[in-house]
Amino acid sequence: MTMHRRTLLQTGLALGSLSALAGCATLTSKAPAKAQVVVIGGGYGGATAAKYVRMLSNYQISVVLIEPNTTFISCPMSNLVLGGSKNMAQITTPYDGLRRQHGVTLVHDRVASIDTQKKTVSLPNGTTIGYDKLVVSPGVDMHFDSIEGLQAANASGQILQAWKAGAETTALRKQLEAMPDGGVYAITVPEAPYKCPPGPYERASQVAHYFKQAKPKSKVLILDANPDVTSKPALFKKYWSDNYKDIVEFRPNHKVMAVDAKNSSILFDVQPNVRADVLNVLPAMRAGAIAQQTGLATVNNRWCGINYQTFESLVAKDVHVLGDATLAAPAMPKSGHMANSHAKVAAAAVVAQLSDLAVNPTPFLTNTCYSYVSDKQVIHVASVHQYITEEKTFKTVPGSGGLSAEANEREGTYAWNWAQNIWADMLL
Ligand SMILES: Cc1cc2nc3c(=O)[nH]c(=O)nc-3n(C[C@H](O)[C@H](O)[C@H](O)COP(=O)(O)OP(=O)(O)OC[C@H]3O[C@@H](n4cnc5c(N)ncnc54)[C@H](O)[C@@H]3O)c2cc1C
């Protein structure tokens, strides 16, 4: 450490605070010209990290982003495609902006393995790419084996998750359209933690909104392994009873054990079987396979333990893990906004460490989760999280954050603008 080390970022960054970052970028003149950061995964965490390492290093550090998909399709807002008020094109953004505007090298492939000793990642064709720092943001994988029969039912296309936006989102919408009026759509919710706490309830609301317009005799069943709605419970339940009274039914403490695709049924550990016309079964989730196979998923081979100040893995030096794949700190949701916020703190730490600058000792994270309960009405929950040095974790700042008083259309506008802004913040 030199006498002149400076902190790269003194505070967390609000979404879209590009002018603040432009100032910070000038602090990084010590970044070694040949340093290379490799990022695995171009989702909310990885794409943001790729862009911000470039910006915060004043474009001196090379960044290679490895992501199999050629366009980014957003999970946030994908429930609106199921509800019918948006289409896939409206939630899709090309990755090109990262290359053209930020000089990120894009490799459209899936990383097959990581060698944390040699500091290389390998692609399926045997190509290896070296790194000084590696950012791993692979999101979650569905734990299909936790529910008997689910893998086969998914492979045949009969029981879908659509928990990664894309082909399954379109296929699930088609199943809903094909369902006769008077039919039943059932969504199951796994025990927390899982990707996007309010996501299943937003989806149930979107399907109910669609049924109310197009198939009013139909039902939405929410079969939840948890004892209650896990996010914004009072707001969701009030909206359902005021607007979807004869459509939505919420059943807590329903843990799925197996699916019977032939009879279109779900089997639970205690409760009676449920038959439905469209089954949307969400199994337990865990850090993406690449994190598991590299030994980064230190907690029950499920979530990746990290140093919360820098997001560096607890078991692999110079490997930083972000987003849904991480073991969450208290009250930290697995959300796109949170992954974007992780990425900025991690990018700042990576650039600081490669530039011989001090790492920010007390970073902040922010989160807002908007949920559409109809095509226009929205509810939100927000929080601010600060790193507590003595406890080596993030905790919510007392008095910060908040909750909608009730569903309203103004927040519908805010929510769609939030999406436009975060996509631009990650990708443009
Ligand atoms: C229906 C739904 C609604 C949601 N709504 C909201 C919302 O309103 N607000 C919100 O904040 N969050 C929302 N979320 C949650 C949000 O989508 C996730 O929390 C967020 O995507 C996590 O970001 P991530 O970077 O950790 O992972 P992801 O965004 O999932 O990105 C992971 C990327 O890694 C890539 N990858 C995986 N393995 C490899 C490999 N081996 N090599 C290369 N690439 C790899 C994948 O292709 C993927 O692109 C929602 C989620 C769902 C499912």
Side-chain angles (χ1 to χ4, degrees), residues 40-41 43-45 66-69 75-76 78-79 110-111 137-139 163 195-196 203 290 323-324 334-337 339 370 418:
I40 300 178
Y44 277 84
I66 309 174
E67 159 63 50
N69 300 307
C75 287
S78 67
N79 284 331
R110 182 170 287 279
V111 171
S137 191
W163 219 241
K195 171 181 182 173
C196 193
R203 178 168 295 179
I290 190 70
D324 287 354
K334 294 193 183 296
S335 76
H337 193 144
Y370 291 103
W418 169 89

PDB file of all heavy atoms in Angstrom, residues 40-41 43-45 66-69 75-76 78-79 110-111 137-139 163 195-196 203 290 323-324 334-337 339 370 418, ligand 1:
ATOM      1  N   ILE A  40     -18.051 -14.090 -16.265  1.00  0.00           N
ATOM      2  CA  ILE A  40     -18.888 -15.225 -16.698  1.00  0.00           C
ATOM      3  C   ILE A  40     -20.347 -14.884 -16.423  1.00  0.00           C
ATOM      4  O   ILE A  40     -20.749 -14.691 -15.274  1.00  0.00           O
ATOM      5  CB  ILE A  40     -18.501 -16.520 -15.950  1.00  0.00           C
ATOM      6  CG1 ILE A  40     -17.039 -16.877 -16.221  1.00  0.00           C
ATOM      7  CG2 ILE A  40     -19.427 -17.669 -16.366  1.00  0.00           C
ATOM      8  CD1 ILE A  40     -16.555 -18.120 -15.473  1.00  0.00           C
ATOM      9  N   GLY A  41     -21.142 -14.793 -17.507  1.00  0.00           N
ATOM     10  CA  GLY A  41     -22.573 -14.535 -17.365  1.00  0.00           C
ATOM     11  C   GLY A  41     -22.917 -13.089 -17.671  1.00  0.00           C
ATOM     12  O   GLY A  41     -22.424 -12.178 -17.009  1.00  0.00           O
ATOM     13  N   GLY A  43     -25.908 -11.570 -17.353  1.00  0.00           N
ATOM     14  CA  GLY A  43     -27.195 -11.183 -16.774  1.00  0.00           C
ATOM     15  C   GLY A  43     -27.064  -9.868 -16.021  1.00  0.00           C
ATOM     16  O   GLY A  43     -26.163  -9.054 -16.294  1.00  0.00           O
ATOM     17  N   TYR A  44     -27.968  -9.661 -15.050  1.00  0.00           N
ATOM     18  CA  TYR A  44     -27.992  -8.386 -14.319  1.00  0.00           C
ATOM     19  C   TYR A  44     -26.675  -8.100 -13.618  1.00  0.00           C
ATOM     20  O   TYR A  44     -26.203  -6.962 -13.581  1.00  0.00           O
ATOM     21  CB  TYR A  44     -29.156  -8.383 -13.315  1.00  0.00           C
ATOM     22  CG  TYR A  44     -30.447  -7.989 -13.983  1.00  0.00           C
ATOM     23  CD1 TYR A  44     -31.215  -8.934 -14.649  1.00  0.00           C
ATOM     24  CD2 TYR A  44     -30.859  -6.668 -14.007  1.00  0.00           C
ATOM     25  CE1 TYR A  44     -32.384  -8.561 -15.296  1.00  0.00           C
ATOM     26  CE2 TYR A  44     -32.020  -6.289 -14.647  1.00  0.00           C
ATOM     27  CZ  TYR A  44     -32.783  -7.234 -15.292  1.00  0.00           C
ATOM     28  OH  TYR A  44     -33.925  -6.850 -15.949  1.00  0.00           O
ATOM     29  N   GLY A  45     -26.042  -9.133 -13.048  1.00  0.00           N
ATOM     30  CA  GLY A  45     -24.769  -8.913 -12.362  1.00  0.00           C
ATOM     31  C   GLY A  45     -23.611  -8.795 -13.340  1.00  0.00           C
ATOM     32  O   GLY A  45     -22.861  -7.813 -13.333  1.00  0.00           O
ATOM     33  N   ILE A  66     -18.225 -13.504 -21.131  1.00  0.00           N
ATOM     34  CA  ILE A  66     -18.591 -14.787 -21.763  1.00  0.00           C
ATOM     35  C   ILE A  66     -20.041 -15.114 -21.396  1.00  0.00           C
ATOM     36  O   ILE A  66     -20.377 -15.239 -20.212  1.00  0.00           O
ATOM     37  CB  ILE A  66     -17.651 -15.923 -21.303  1.00  0.00           C
ATOM     38  CG1 ILE A  66     -16.189 -15.492 -21.493  1.00  0.00           C
ATOM     39  CG2 ILE A  66     -17.944 -17.208 -22.086  1.00  0.00           C
ATOM     40  CD1 ILE A  66     -15.169 -16.468 -20.938  1.00  0.00           C
ATOM     41  N   GLU A  67     -20.879 -15.192 -22.421  1.00  0.00           N
ATOM     42  CA  GLU A  67     -22.326 -15.396 -22.222  1.00  0.00           C
ATOM     43  C   GLU A  67     -22.860 -16.130 -23.456  1.00  0.00           C
ATOM     44  O   GLU A  67     -22.638 -15.671 -24.570  1.00  0.00           O
ATOM     45  CB  GLU A  67     -23.005 -14.016 -22.066  1.00  0.00           C
ATOM     46  CG  GLU A  67     -24.493 -13.969 -22.336  1.00  0.00           C
ATOM     47  CD  GLU A  67     -25.328 -14.827 -21.375  1.00  0.00           C
ATOM     48  OE1 GLU A  67     -25.148 -14.722 -20.152  1.00  0.00           O
ATOM     49  OE2 GLU A  67     -26.173 -15.611 -21.880  1.00  0.00           O
ATOM     50  N   PRO A  68     -23.550 -17.251 -23.272  1.00  0.00           N
ATOM     51  CA  PRO A  68     -23.996 -18.002 -24.456  1.00  0.00           C
ATOM     52  C   PRO A  68     -25.017 -17.275 -25.328  1.00  0.00           C
ATOM     53  O   PRO A  68     -25.029 -17.442 -26.543  1.00  0.00           O
ATOM     54  CB  PRO A  68     -24.588 -19.294 -23.874  1.00  0.00           C
ATOM     55  CG  PRO A  68     -24.744 -19.061 -22.407  1.00  0.00           C
ATOM     56  CD  PRO A  68     -23.828 -17.956 -22.017  1.00  0.00           C
ATOM     57  N   ASN A  69     -25.888 -16.478 -24.711  1.00  0.00           N
ATOM     58  CA  ASN A  69     -26.951 -15.845 -25.505  1.00  0.00           C
ATOM     59  C   ASN A  69     -26.436 -14.624 -26.253  1.00  0.00           C
ATOM     60  O   ASN A  69     -25.605 -13.875 -25.728  1.00  0.00           O
ATOM     61  CB  ASN A  69     -28.113 -15.426 -24.594  1.00  0.00           C
ATOM     62  CG  ASN A  69     -28.706 -16.626 -23.884  1.00  0.00           C
ATOM     63  OD1 ASN A  69     -29.074 -17.610 -24.513  1.00  0.00           O
ATOM     64  ND2 ASN A  69     -28.750 -16.584 -22.562  1.00  0.00           N
ATOM     65  N   CYS A  75     -35.647 -11.199 -17.246  1.00  0.00           N
ATOM     66  CA  CYS A  75     -36.658 -11.859 -16.395  1.00  0.00           C
ATOM     67  C   CYS A  75     -37.610 -10.814 -15.811  1.00  0.00           C
ATOM     68  O   CYS A  75     -38.840 -10.990 -15.911  1.00  0.00           O
ATOM     69  CB  CYS A  75     -35.981 -12.652 -15.271  1.00  0.00           C
ATOM     70  SG  CYS A  75     -35.201 -14.154 -15.839  1.00  0.00           S
ATOM     71  N   PRO A  76     -37.084  -9.717 -15.184  1.00  0.00           N
ATOM     72  CA  PRO A  76     -38.012  -8.658 -14.781  1.00  0.00           C
ATOM     73  C   PRO A  76     -38.807  -8.182 -16.003  1.00  0.00           C
ATOM     74  O   PRO A  76     -38.233  -7.930 -17.056  1.00  0.00           O
ATOM     75  CB  PRO A  76     -37.082  -7.555 -14.252  1.00  0.00           C
ATOM     76  CG  PRO A  76     -35.874  -8.284 -13.765  1.00  0.00           C
ATOM     77  CD  PRO A  76     -35.718  -9.457 -14.689  1.00  0.00           C
ATOM     78  N   SER A  78     -40.851 -10.060 -17.604  1.00  0.00           N
ATOM     79  CA  SER A  78     -41.272 -11.205 -18.429  1.00  0.00           C
ATOM     80  C   SER A  78     -42.653 -11.707 -18.004  1.00  0.00           C
ATOM     81  O   SER A  78     -43.371 -12.312 -18.812  1.00  0.00           O
ATOM     82  CB  SER A  78     -40.253 -12.339 -18.372  1.00  0.00           C
ATOM     83  OG  SER A  78     -40.189 -12.917 -17.073  1.00  0.00           O
ATOM     84  N   ASN A  79     -43.047 -11.438 -16.750  1.00  0.00           N
ATOM     85  CA  ASN A  79     -44.407 -11.844 -16.346  1.00  0.00           C
ATOM     86  C   ASN A  79     -45.481 -11.079 -17.136  1.00  0.00           C
ATOM     87  O   ASN A  79     -46.604 -11.556 -17.291  1.00  0.00           O
ATOM     88  CB  ASN A  79     -44.605 -11.622 -14.841  1.00  0.00           C
ATOM     89  CG  ASN A  79     -43.910 -12.704 -14.016  1.00  0.00           C
ATOM     90  OD1 ASN A  79     -43.761 -13.832 -14.468  1.00  0.00           O
ATOM     91  ND2 ASN A  79     -43.483 -12.357 -12.801  1.00  0.00           N
ATOM     92  N   ARG A 110     -20.444 -20.896 -23.557  1.00  0.00           N
ATOM     93  CA  ARG A 110     -20.687 -21.258 -22.153  1.00  0.00           C
ATOM     94  C   ARG A 110     -19.368 -21.726 -21.568  1.00  0.00           C
ATOM     95  O   ARG A 110     -18.701 -22.581 -22.174  1.00  0.00           O
ATOM     96  CB  ARG A 110     -21.723 -22.384 -22.108  1.00  0.00           C
ATOM     97  CG  ARG A 110     -22.109 -22.838 -20.722  1.00  0.00           C
ATOM     98  CD  ARG A 110     -23.303 -23.765 -20.790  1.00  0.00           C
ATOM     99  NE  ARG A 110     -24.524 -23.053 -21.090  1.00  0.00           N
ATOM    100  CZ  ARG A 110     -25.248 -22.392 -20.173  1.00  0.00           C
ATOM    101  NH1 ARG A 110     -24.901 -22.397 -18.899  1.00  0.00           N
ATOM    102  NH2 ARG A 110     -26.327 -21.731 -20.511  1.00  0.00           N
ATOM    103  N   VAL A 111     -18.943 -21.173 -20.454  1.00  0.00           N
ATOM    104  CA  VAL A 111     -17.685 -21.609 -19.834  1.00  0.00           C
ATOM    105  C   VAL A 111     -17.857 -23.041 -19.338  1.00  0.00           C
ATOM    106  O   VAL A 111     -18.819 -23.359 -18.628  1.00  0.00           O
ATOM    107  CB  VAL A 111     -17.301 -20.671 -18.665  1.00  0.00           C
ATOM    108  CG1 VAL A 111     -16.125 -21.239 -17.873  1.00  0.00           C
ATOM    109  CG2 VAL A 111     -16.990 -19.285 -19.204  1.00  0.00           C
ATOM    110  N   SER A 137     -21.002 -14.603 -12.423  1.00  0.00           N
ATOM    111  CA  SER A 137     -22.406 -14.222 -12.148  1.00  0.00           C
ATOM    112  C   SER A 137     -23.338 -15.117 -12.972  1.00  0.00           C
ATOM    113  O   SER A 137     -24.016 -14.658 -13.889  1.00  0.00           O
ATOM    114  CB  SER A 137     -22.617 -12.741 -12.481  1.00  0.00           C
ATOM    115  OG  SER A 137     -23.863 -12.296 -12.004  1.00  0.00           O
ATOM    116  N   PRO A 138     -23.385 -16.423 -12.633  1.00  0.00           N
ATOM    117  CA  PRO A 138     -24.126 -17.371 -13.473  1.00  0.00           C
ATOM    118  C   PRO A 138     -25.598 -17.490 -13.115  1.00  0.00           C
ATOM    119  O   PRO A 138     -26.310 -18.306 -13.719  1.00  0.00           O
ATOM    120  CB  PRO A 138     -23.414 -18.693 -13.177  1.00  0.00           C
ATOM    121  CG  PRO A 138     -23.005 -18.565 -11.734  1.00  0.00           C
ATOM    122  CD  PRO A 138     -22.710 -17.095 -11.515  1.00  0.00           C
ATOM    123  N   GLY A 139     -26.072 -16.700 -12.142  1.00  0.00           N
ATOM    124  CA  GLY A 139     -27.468 -16.824 -11.729  1.00  0.00           C
ATOM    125  C   GLY A 139     -27.726 -18.169 -11.059  1.00  0.00           C
ATOM    126  O   GLY A 139     -26.818 -18.782 -10.500  1.00  0.00           O
ATOM    127  N   TRP A 163     -38.590 -19.679 -15.651  1.00  0.00           N
ATOM    128  CA  TRP A 163     -37.919 -18.866 -14.618  1.00  0.00           C
ATOM    129  C   TRP A 163     -36.603 -18.308 -15.139  1.00  0.00           C
ATOM    130  O   TRP A 163     -35.816 -17.718 -14.410  1.00  0.00           O
ATOM    131  CB  TRP A 163     -37.749 -19.666 -13.311  1.00  0.00           C
ATOM    132  CG  TRP A 163     -37.988 -18.811 -12.107  1.00  0.00           C
ATOM    133  CD1 TRP A 163     -37.094 -18.522 -11.110  1.00  0.00           C
ATOM    134  CD2 TRP A 163     -39.169 -18.074 -11.782  1.00  0.00           C
ATOM    135  NE1 TRP A 163     -37.657 -17.662 -10.199  1.00  0.00           N
ATOM    136  CE2 TRP A 163     -38.937 -17.371 -10.588  1.00  0.00           C
ATOM    137  CE3 TRP A 163     -40.420 -17.927 -12.402  1.00  0.00           C
ATOM    138  CZ2 TRP A 163     -39.885 -16.551  -9.982  1.00  0.00           C
ATOM    139  CZ3 TRP A 163     -41.373 -17.107 -11.800  1.00  0.00           C
ATOM    140  CH2 TRP A 163     -41.092 -16.440 -10.607  1.00  0.00           C
ATOM    141  N   LYS A 195     -34.892 -17.366  -6.574  1.00  0.00           N
ATOM    142  CA  LYS A 195     -34.720 -16.184  -7.426  1.00  0.00           C
ATOM    143  C   LYS A 195     -36.018 -15.377  -7.479  1.00  0.00           C
ATOM    144  O   LYS A 195     -37.051 -15.912  -7.892  1.00  0.00           O
ATOM    145  CB  LYS A 195     -34.337 -16.674  -8.824  1.00  0.00           C
ATOM    146  CG  LYS A 195     -34.307 -15.642  -9.929  1.00  0.00           C
ATOM    147  CD  LYS A 195     -33.921 -16.332 -11.238  1.00  0.00           C
ATOM    148  CE  LYS A 195     -33.812 -15.390 -12.409  1.00  0.00           C
ATOM    149  NZ  LYS A 195     -33.283 -16.076 -13.598  1.00  0.00           N
ATOM    150  N   CYS A 196     -35.950 -14.140  -7.050  1.00  0.00           N
ATOM    151  CA  CYS A 196     -37.051 -13.175  -7.098  1.00  0.00           C
ATOM    152  C   CYS A 196     -38.215 -13.517  -6.166  1.00  0.00           C
ATOM    153  O   CYS A 196     -39.221 -14.104  -6.591  1.00  0.00           O
ATOM    154  CB  CYS A 196     -37.580 -12.997  -8.520  1.00  0.00           C
ATOM    155  SG  CYS A 196     -38.667 -11.555  -8.631  1.00  0.00           S
ATOM    156  N   ARG A 203     -46.480 -13.197 -11.067  1.00  0.00           N
ATOM    157  CA  ARG A 203     -46.925 -14.034 -12.188  1.00  0.00           C
ATOM    158  C   ARG A 203     -48.372 -14.474 -11.991  1.00  0.00           C
ATOM    159  O   ARG A 203     -49.173 -14.422 -12.931  1.00  0.00           O
ATOM    160  CB  ARG A 203     -46.008 -15.245 -12.342  1.00  0.00           C
ATOM    161  CG  ARG A 203     -46.479 -16.158 -13.464  1.00  0.00           C
ATOM    162  CD  ARG A 203     -45.470 -17.195 -13.828  1.00  0.00           C
ATOM    163  NE  ARG A 203     -44.257 -16.607 -14.377  1.00  0.00           N
ATOM    164  CZ  ARG A 203     -43.202 -17.316 -14.770  1.00  0.00           C
ATOM    165  NH1 ARG A 203     -43.223 -18.634 -14.661  1.00  0.00           N
ATOM    166  NH2 ARG A 203     -42.136 -16.720 -15.261  1.00  0.00           N
ATOM    167  N   ILE A 290     -21.727 -23.799 -13.025  1.00  0.00           N
ATOM    168  CA  ILE A 290     -20.288 -23.501 -13.093  1.00  0.00           C
ATOM    169  C   ILE A 290     -19.740 -23.142 -11.702  1.00  0.00           C
ATOM    170  O   ILE A 290     -18.608 -23.494 -11.360  1.00  0.00           O
ATOM    171  CB  ILE A 290     -19.984 -22.383 -14.137  1.00  0.00           C
ATOM    172  CG1 ILE A 290     -18.490 -22.257 -14.391  1.00  0.00           C
ATOM    173  CG2 ILE A 290     -20.568 -21.039 -13.738  1.00  0.00           C
ATOM    174  CD1 ILE A 290     -17.873 -23.391 -15.132  1.00  0.00           C
ATOM    175  N   GLY A 323     -24.575 -11.572  -7.514  1.00  0.00           N
ATOM    176  CA  GLY A 323     -25.966 -11.813  -7.881  1.00  0.00           C
ATOM    177  C   GLY A 323     -26.588 -13.001  -7.178  1.00  0.00           C
ATOM    178  O   GLY A 323     -26.240 -13.355  -6.047  1.00  0.00           O
ATOM    179  N   ASP A 324     -27.515 -13.644  -7.879  1.00  0.00           N
ATOM    180  CA  ASP A 324     -28.328 -14.711  -7.297  1.00  0.00           C
ATOM    181  C   ASP A 324     -27.491 -15.875  -6.774  1.00  0.00           C
ATOM    182  O   ASP A 324     -27.953 -16.621  -5.905  1.00  0.00           O
ATOM    183  CB  ASP A 324     -29.287 -15.275  -8.359  1.00  0.00           C
ATOM    184  CG  ASP A 324     -30.428 -14.338  -8.698  1.00  0.00           C
ATOM    185  OD1 ASP A 324     -30.561 -13.298  -8.035  1.00  0.00           O
ATOM    186  OD2 ASP A 324     -31.191 -14.661  -9.630  1.00  0.00           O
ATOM    187  N   LYS A 334     -32.802 -11.971  -3.798  1.00  0.00           N
ATOM    188  CA  LYS A 334     -32.166 -12.376  -5.053  1.00  0.00           C
ATOM    189  C   LYS A 334     -32.926 -11.672  -6.175  1.00  0.00           C
ATOM    190  O   LYS A 334     -33.938 -12.180  -6.668  1.00  0.00           O
ATOM    191  CB  LYS A 334     -32.219 -13.892  -5.215  1.00  0.00           C
ATOM    192  CG  LYS A 334     -31.373 -14.614  -4.177  1.00  0.00           C
ATOM    193  CD  LYS A 334     -31.161 -16.067  -4.487  1.00  0.00           C
ATOM    194  CE  LYS A 334     -30.371 -16.728  -3.370  1.00  0.00           C
ATOM    195  NZ  LYS A 334     -29.005 -16.205  -3.202  1.00  0.00           N
ATOM    196  N   SER A 335     -32.470 -10.475  -6.510  1.00  0.00           N
ATOM    197  CA  SER A 335     -33.177  -9.660  -7.502  1.00  0.00           C
ATOM    198  C   SER A 335     -32.196  -9.099  -8.525  1.00  0.00           C
ATOM    199  O   SER A 335     -30.984  -9.032  -8.283  1.00  0.00           O
ATOM    200  CB  SER A 335     -33.899  -8.492  -6.810  1.00  0.00           C
ATOM    201  OG  SER A 335     -32.979  -7.485  -6.455  1.00  0.00           O
ATOM    202  N   GLY A 336     -32.745  -8.669  -9.660  1.00  0.00           N
ATOM    203  CA  GLY A 336     -31.922  -8.053 -10.684  1.00  0.00           C
ATOM    204  C   GLY A 336     -31.323  -6.738 -10.207  1.00  0.00           C
ATOM    205  O   GLY A 336     -30.152  -6.442 -10.464  1.00  0.00           O
ATOM    206  N   HIS A 337     -32.132  -5.950  -9.490  1.00  0.00           N
ATOM    207  CA  HIS A 337     -31.640  -4.668  -8.985  1.00  0.00           C
ATOM    208  C   HIS A 337     -30.472  -4.915  -8.017  1.00  0.00           C
ATOM    209  O   HIS A 337     -29.448  -4.225  -8.062  1.00  0.00           O
ATOM    210  CB  HIS A 337     -32.783  -3.926  -8.287  1.00  0.00           C
ATOM    211  CG  HIS A 337     -32.480  -2.483  -8.007  1.00  0.00           C
ATOM    212  ND1 HIS A 337     -33.425  -1.502  -8.093  1.00  0.00           N
ATOM    213  CD2 HIS A 337     -31.336  -1.861  -7.633  1.00  0.00           C
ATOM    214  CE1 HIS A 337     -32.877  -0.328  -7.795  1.00  0.00           C
ATOM    215  NE2 HIS A 337     -31.623  -0.538  -7.490  1.00  0.00           N
ATOM    216  N   ALA A 339     -28.472  -7.571  -7.955  1.00  0.00           N
ATOM    217  CA  ALA A 339     -27.313  -8.073  -8.697  1.00  0.00           C
ATOM    218  C   ALA A 339     -26.579  -6.906  -9.372  1.00  0.00           C
ATOM    219  O   ALA A 339     -25.338  -6.856  -9.397  1.00  0.00           O
ATOM    220  CB  ALA A 339     -27.756  -9.100  -9.740  1.00  0.00           C
ATOM    221  N   TYR A 370     -40.368  -3.896  -8.012  1.00  0.00           N
ATOM    222  CA  TYR A 370     -41.732  -3.543  -8.422  1.00  0.00           C
ATOM    223  C   TYR A 370     -42.462  -4.814  -8.842  1.00  0.00           C
ATOM    224  O   TYR A 370     -41.867  -5.685  -9.468  1.00  0.00           O
ATOM    225  CB  TYR A 370     -41.703  -2.602  -9.633  1.00  0.00           C
ATOM    226  CG  TYR A 370     -41.166  -1.218  -9.352  1.00  0.00           C
ATOM    227  CD1 TYR A 370     -39.877  -0.853  -9.736  1.00  0.00           C
ATOM    228  CD2 TYR A 370     -41.966  -0.257  -8.739  1.00  0.00           C
ATOM    229  CE1 TYR A 370     -39.388   0.426  -9.505  1.00  0.00           C
ATOM    230  CE2 TYR A 370     -41.492   1.026  -8.507  1.00  0.00           C
ATOM    231  CZ  TYR A 370     -40.198   1.361  -8.893  1.00  0.00           C
ATOM    232  OH  TYR A 370     -39.723   2.623  -8.672  1.00  0.00           O
ATOM    233  N   TRP A 418     -38.093   2.064 -14.585  1.00  0.00           N
ATOM    234  CA  TRP A 418     -37.018   1.362 -13.876  1.00  0.00           C
ATOM    235  C   TRP A 418     -36.370   0.338 -14.818  1.00  0.00           C
ATOM    236  O   TRP A 418     -35.148   0.242 -14.911  1.00  0.00           O
ATOM    237  CB  TRP A 418     -37.565   0.665 -12.616  1.00  0.00           C
ATOM    238  CG  TRP A 418     -36.607  -0.284 -11.979  1.00  0.00           C
ATOM    239  CD1 TRP A 418     -35.685   0.007 -11.028  1.00  0.00           C
ATOM    240  CD2 TRP A 418     -36.443  -1.692 -12.261  1.00  0.00           C
ATOM    241  NE1 TRP A 418     -34.952  -1.121 -10.696  1.00  0.00           N
ATOM    242  CE2 TRP A 418     -35.406  -2.173 -11.447  1.00  0.00           C
ATOM    243  CE3 TRP A 418     -37.069  -2.593 -13.129  1.00  0.00           C
ATOM    244  CZ2 TRP A 418     -34.979  -3.514 -11.468  1.00  0.00           C
ATOM    245  CZ3 TRP A 418     -36.652  -3.914 -13.156  1.00  0.00           C
ATOM    246  CH2 TRP A 418     -35.622  -4.359 -12.331  1.00  0.00           C
TER     247      TRP A 418
HETATM  248  C1  LIG B   1     -40.325 -13.994 -13.531  1.00  0.00           C
HETATM  249  C2  LIG B   1     -39.242 -13.173 -12.885  1.00  0.00           C
HETATM  250  C3  LIG B   1     -39.463 -11.847 -12.573  1.00  0.00           C
HETATM  251  C4  LIG B   1     -38.470 -11.087 -11.975  1.00  0.00           C
HETATM  252  N1  LIG B   1     -38.726  -9.768 -11.699  1.00  0.00           N
HETATM  253  C5  LIG B   1     -37.771  -9.013 -11.116  1.00  0.00           C
HETATM  254  C6  LIG B   1     -37.995  -7.613 -10.889  1.00  0.00           C
HETATM  255  O1  LIG B   1     -39.078  -7.083 -11.186  1.00  0.00           O
HETATM  256  N2  LIG B   1     -36.997  -6.890 -10.344  1.00  0.00           N
HETATM  257  C7  LIG B   1     -35.794  -7.447 -10.024  1.00  0.00           C
HETATM  258  O2  LIG B   1     -34.913  -6.720  -9.548  1.00  0.00           O
HETATM  259  N3  LIG B   1     -35.544  -8.777 -10.225  1.00  0.00           N
HETATM  260  C8  LIG B   1     -36.494  -9.559 -10.766  1.00  0.00           C
HETATM  261  N4  LIG B   1     -36.247 -10.886 -11.019  1.00  0.00           N
HETATM  262  C9  LIG B   1     -34.990 -11.499 -10.535  1.00  0.00           C
HETATM  263  C10 LIG B   1     -33.815 -11.301 -11.498  1.00  0.00           C
HETATM  264  O3  LIG B   1     -34.134 -11.800 -12.778  1.00  0.00           O
HETATM  265  C11 LIG B   1     -32.565 -12.016 -10.984  1.00  0.00           C
HETATM  266  O4  LIG B   1     -32.389 -11.757  -9.618  1.00  0.00           O
HETATM  267  C12 LIG B   1     -31.339 -11.555 -11.765  1.00  0.00           C
HETATM  268  O5  LIG B   1     -31.483 -11.969 -13.118  1.00  0.00           O
HETATM  269  C13 LIG B   1     -30.050 -12.091 -11.163  1.00  0.00           C
HETATM  270  O6  LIG B   1     -28.936 -11.644 -11.895  1.00  0.00           O
HETATM  271  P1  LIG B   1     -27.645 -12.599 -12.050  1.00  0.00           P
HETATM  272  O7  LIG B   1     -26.618 -11.839 -12.805  1.00  0.00           O
HETATM  273  O8  LIG B   1     -27.295 -13.178 -10.737  1.00  0.00           O
HETATM  274  O9  LIG B   1     -28.161 -13.807 -12.936  1.00  0.00           O
HETATM  275  P2  LIG B   1     -28.906 -13.815 -14.416  1.00  0.00           P
HETATM  276  O10 LIG B   1     -29.438 -12.474 -14.671  1.00  0.00           O
HETATM  277  O11 LIG B   1     -29.790 -14.970 -14.322  1.00  0.00           O
HETATM  278  O12 LIG B   1     -27.697 -14.048 -15.390  1.00  0.00           O
HETATM  279  C14 LIG B   1     -26.931 -15.207 -15.401  1.00  0.00           C
HETATM  280  C15 LIG B   1     -26.292 -15.336 -16.778  1.00  0.00           C
HETATM  281  O13 LIG B   1     -25.189 -16.254 -16.691  1.00  0.00           O
HETATM  282  C16 LIG B   1     -25.133 -17.008 -17.878  1.00  0.00           C
HETATM  283  N5  LIG B   1     -24.387 -18.231 -17.568  1.00  0.00           N
HETATM  284  C17 LIG B   1     -24.694 -19.213 -16.689  1.00  0.00           C
HETATM  285  N6  LIG B   1     -23.727 -20.166 -16.699  1.00  0.00           N
HETATM  286  C18 LIG B   1     -22.777 -19.758 -17.575  1.00  0.00           C
HETATM  287  C19 LIG B   1     -21.541 -20.314 -18.033  1.00  0.00           C
HETATM  288  N7  LIG B   1     -21.105 -21.497 -17.592  1.00  0.00           N
HETATM  289  N8  LIG B   1     -20.832 -19.631 -18.959  1.00  0.00           N
HETATM  290  C20 LIG B   1     -21.271 -18.439 -19.436  1.00  0.00           C
HETATM  291  N9  LIG B   1     -22.435 -17.865 -19.043  1.00  0.00           N
HETATM  292  C21 LIG B   1     -23.178 -18.530 -18.130  1.00  0.00           C
HETATM  293  C22 LIG B   1     -26.617 -17.222 -18.242  1.00  0.00           C
HETATM  294  O14 LIG B   1     -26.760 -17.506 -19.633  1.00  0.00           O
HETATM  295  C23 LIG B   1     -27.243 -15.886 -17.825  1.00  0.00           C
HETATM  296  O15 LIG B   1     -27.339 -14.985 -18.909  1.00  0.00           O
HETATM  297  C24 LIG B   1     -37.221 -11.676 -11.665  1.00  0.00           C
HETATM  298  C25 LIG B   1     -36.989 -13.013 -11.977  1.00  0.00           C
HETATM  299  C26 LIG B   1     -37.985 -13.768 -12.576  1.00  0.00           C
HETATM  300  C27 LIG B   1     -37.721 -15.196 -12.930  1.00  0.00           C
END
